[in-house]
């Protein structure tokens, strides 16, 4: 069972990586459309506060990618340390994959070890990069809704300021700003829907397999010496898998929470003294925003913190069953 767990969590990581790579290859055109859509004028307001929020999103996304990918590379690097230490102590090294080669000769052992490091690192970087990409799009949608909420709350004040500067009709100015907010909301909604249509199935596969990966890794972890390098590497691996699942659930949950506040932002606008057309427009937006964005994996599993907890509980259940069958 220990050998099986060692093989399975690596195999399952390869499967999730391939599932996402297939989508990136087959849906490349729609992904390009989604990325180009982020440059749309509706998603890039001219206000300084909006630009600061967008810059903060880009900065945090960059740090997320570097830290996440760095943790994966460090884990794979540690995985080549303990085979070397095991061989140096005179014991036989058994790799978790079939090669058909005799690894006793130093040259063959070195080549197989380097091959193992190359493949695992490549899969680690691929997984972390694709996960960070999806999380960044979700984070971008959340930031866009935050900007929209800010614009809706101040739409009456912005209307009156513009009327003072231009002398235009107040209702005409309001409708122009309101249409901009409506287009902004539609664009965010389209981006979130396109992301779900493209990556819904791979994320669902990730959730389904992620629990088994955690289960197998935990089963392997409890059999290791706490002060060993292998224990450290396995702990980092589990941390990477937890981060992988948490990213989708956290940013999906943040998008839903921010979307739920749009109707409240429209209500918070100082509409009491505004005209009938202004109040009617805000009311229509509030009715439309009553159904918040709820990104889901395969239209089945919601991207939420509650889903993350369910995956953790399921993983522990699988682990407990395996321990009882030992």
């Amino acid at each position: 069972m220990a050998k099986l767990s060692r093989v399975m969590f690596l195999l399952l990581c390869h499967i999730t990586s391939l599932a996402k790579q297939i989508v990136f290859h087959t849906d490349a055109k729609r992904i390009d459309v989604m990325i180009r859509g982020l440059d749309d004028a509706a998603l890039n307001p001219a206000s300084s506060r909006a630009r600061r929020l967008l810059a903060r999103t880009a900065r945090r996304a960059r740090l997320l990618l570097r830290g996440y990918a760095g943790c994966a590379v460090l884990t794979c690097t540690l995985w080549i340390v303990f085979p070397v230490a095991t061989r140096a102590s005179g014991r036989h090294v058994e790799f978790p994959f079939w090669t058909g080669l005799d690894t006793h000769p130093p040259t063959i052992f070195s080549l197989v070890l380097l091959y193992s490091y190359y493949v695992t690192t490549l899969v680690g970087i691929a997984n972390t990069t694709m996960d960070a990409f999806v999380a960044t799009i979700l984070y971008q949608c959340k930031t866009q809704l935050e900007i929209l909420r800010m614009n809706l709350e101040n739409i009456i004040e912005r209307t009156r300021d513009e009327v003072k500067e231009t002398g235009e009709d107040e209702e005409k100015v309001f409708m122009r700003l309101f249409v901009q907010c409506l287009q902004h909301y539609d664009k965010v909604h389209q981006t979130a829907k396109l992301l779900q249509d493209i990556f819904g199935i791979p994320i669902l596969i990730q959730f389904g397999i992620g629990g088994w990966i955690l289960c197998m890794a935990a089963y392997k972890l409890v059999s290791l010496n706490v002060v060993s390098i292998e224990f450290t590497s396995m702990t980092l691996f589990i941390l990477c898998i937890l981060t992988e699942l948490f990213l989708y659930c956290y940013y999906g949950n943040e998008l839903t929470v921010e979307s739920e506040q749009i109707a409240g932002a429209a209500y918070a606008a100082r509409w009491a003294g505004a005209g009938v057309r202004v109040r009617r427009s805000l009311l229509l937006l509030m009715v439309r925003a009553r159904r918040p964005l709820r990104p889901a994996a395969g239209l089945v599993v919601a991207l939420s913190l509650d889903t993350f907890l369910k995956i953790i509980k399921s993983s522990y259940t699988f682990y407990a069953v395996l321990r009882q069958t030992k």
Side-chain angles (χ1 to χ4, degrees):
M1 187 62 71
K3 291 182 179 181
L4 177 63
S5 64
R6 186 184 176 196
V7 171
M8 285 299 295
F9 71 75
L10 286 177
L11 175 62
L12 294 174
C13 285
H14 280 68
I15 292 175
T16 56
S17 176
L18 287 173
K20 286 176 278 190
Q21 288 181 58
I22 289 172
V23 171
F24 268 92
H25 177 72
T26 57
D27 260 342
K29 291 184 178 180
R30 288 204 297 170
I31 294 174
D32 288 338
V33 169
M34 181 175 62
I35 294 174
R36 286 196 300 268
L38 298 177
D39 292 329
D40 192 282
L43 299 181
N44 292 275
S47 66
S48 58
R49 185 176 178 184
R51 292 185 178 276
R52 287 197 300 270
L53 288 174
L54 292 173
R56 180 201 65 182
T57 301
R59 183 173 59 254
R60 291 182 178 179
R62 185 164 52 248
L63 291 175
L64 169 66
L65 174 60
R66 291 175 179 175
Y68 188 24
C71 184
V73 172
L74 177 59
T75 302
C76 296
T77 302
L78 290 177
W79 277 350
I80 69 170
V81 173
F82 56 82
V84 173
T86 302
R87 185 178 176 88
S89 63
R91 291 177 292 167
H92 173 66
V93 177
E94 187 175 11
F95 290 96
F97 53 89
W98 180 81
T99 62
L101 301 173
D102 181 10
T103 58
H104 287 289
T107 303
I108 302 299
F109 173 80
S110 300
L111 290 175
V112 172
L113 186 64
L114 290 175
Y115 169 77
S116 173
Y117 177 69
Y118 169 76
V119 172
T120 53
T121 304
L122 192 63
V123 171
I125 293 176
N127 262 322
T128 54
T129 302
M130 291 184 288
D131 293 335
F133 172 80
V134 177
T136 298
I137 300 296
L138 288 171
Y139 190 19
Q140 174 78 334
C141 291
K142 181 261 182 185
T143 302
Q144 292 293 342
L145 289 180
E146 189 176 353
I147 295 172
L148 175 61
R149 176 168 55 84
M150 175 186 67
N151 291 336
L152 282 173
E153 290 173 349
N154 301 322
I155 191 170
I156 301 297
E157 289 82 354
R158 291 189 297 125
T159 299
R160 292 170 181 171
D161 291 341
E162 193 165 331
V163 168
K164 291 180 182 179
E165 293 178 2
T166 62
E168 294 183 69
D169 179 70
E170 182 173 337
E171 188 173 284
K172 183 178 180 180
V173 173
F174 171 83
M175 290 308 299
R176 182 171 66 249
L177 295 177
F178 178 77
V179 168
Q180 291 176 1
C181 291
L182 199 59
Q183 291 174 343
H184 194 173
Y185 182 78
D186 286 341
K187 190 63 180 178
V188 175
H189 192 279
Q190 292 171 10
T191 303
K193 186 177 184 303
L194 185 57
L195 179 72
Q196 178 173 285
D197 291 343
I198 295 173
F199 294 103
I201 298 302
I203 295 176
L204 182 62
I205 294 173
Q206 179 69 64
F207 283 174
I209 294 180
W212 281 102
I213 295 176
L214 287 174
C215 170
M216 293 297 178
Y219 188 89
K220 178 66 177 176
L221 182 69
V222 296
S223 64
L224 301 175
N225 187 354
V226 178
V227 296
S228 65
I229 297 177
E230 191 172 3
F231 181 88
T232 304
S233 65
M234 192 59 61
T235 302
L236 287 174
F237 174 76
I238 293 176
L239 179 62
C240 286
I241 300 301
L242 288 173
T243 303
E244 183 176 44
L245 299 173
F246 182 75
L247 285 179
Y248 294 118
C249 296
Y250 174 76
Y251 286 114
N253 188 82
E254 287 291 293
L255 177 58
T256 300
V257 171
E258 195 65 44
S259 179
E260 290 173 343
Q261 299 183 35
I262 296 299
Y267 183 79
R270 298 181 180 179
W271 48 266
V276 176
R277 191 180 180 189
V278 172
R279 286 180 286 173
R280 184 184 296 118
S281 300
L282 289 173
L283 179 60
L284 289 174
L285 178 60
M286 290 168 59
V287 172
R288 181 176 180 182
R290 286 181 62 184
R291 295 184 62 184
L293 295 173
R294 298 187 185 278
L299 301 176
V300 176
V301 182
L303 302 184
S304 64
L305 296 178
D306 184 59
T307 298
F308 178 74
L309 292 177
K310 289 180 179 179
I311 294 174
I312 299 300
K313 291 179 181 178
S314 299
S315 300
Y316 179 77
T317 301
F318 298 152
Y319 165 76
V321 171
L322 287 179
R323 292 293 294 176
Q324 289 177 359
T325 59
K326 185 176 180 180

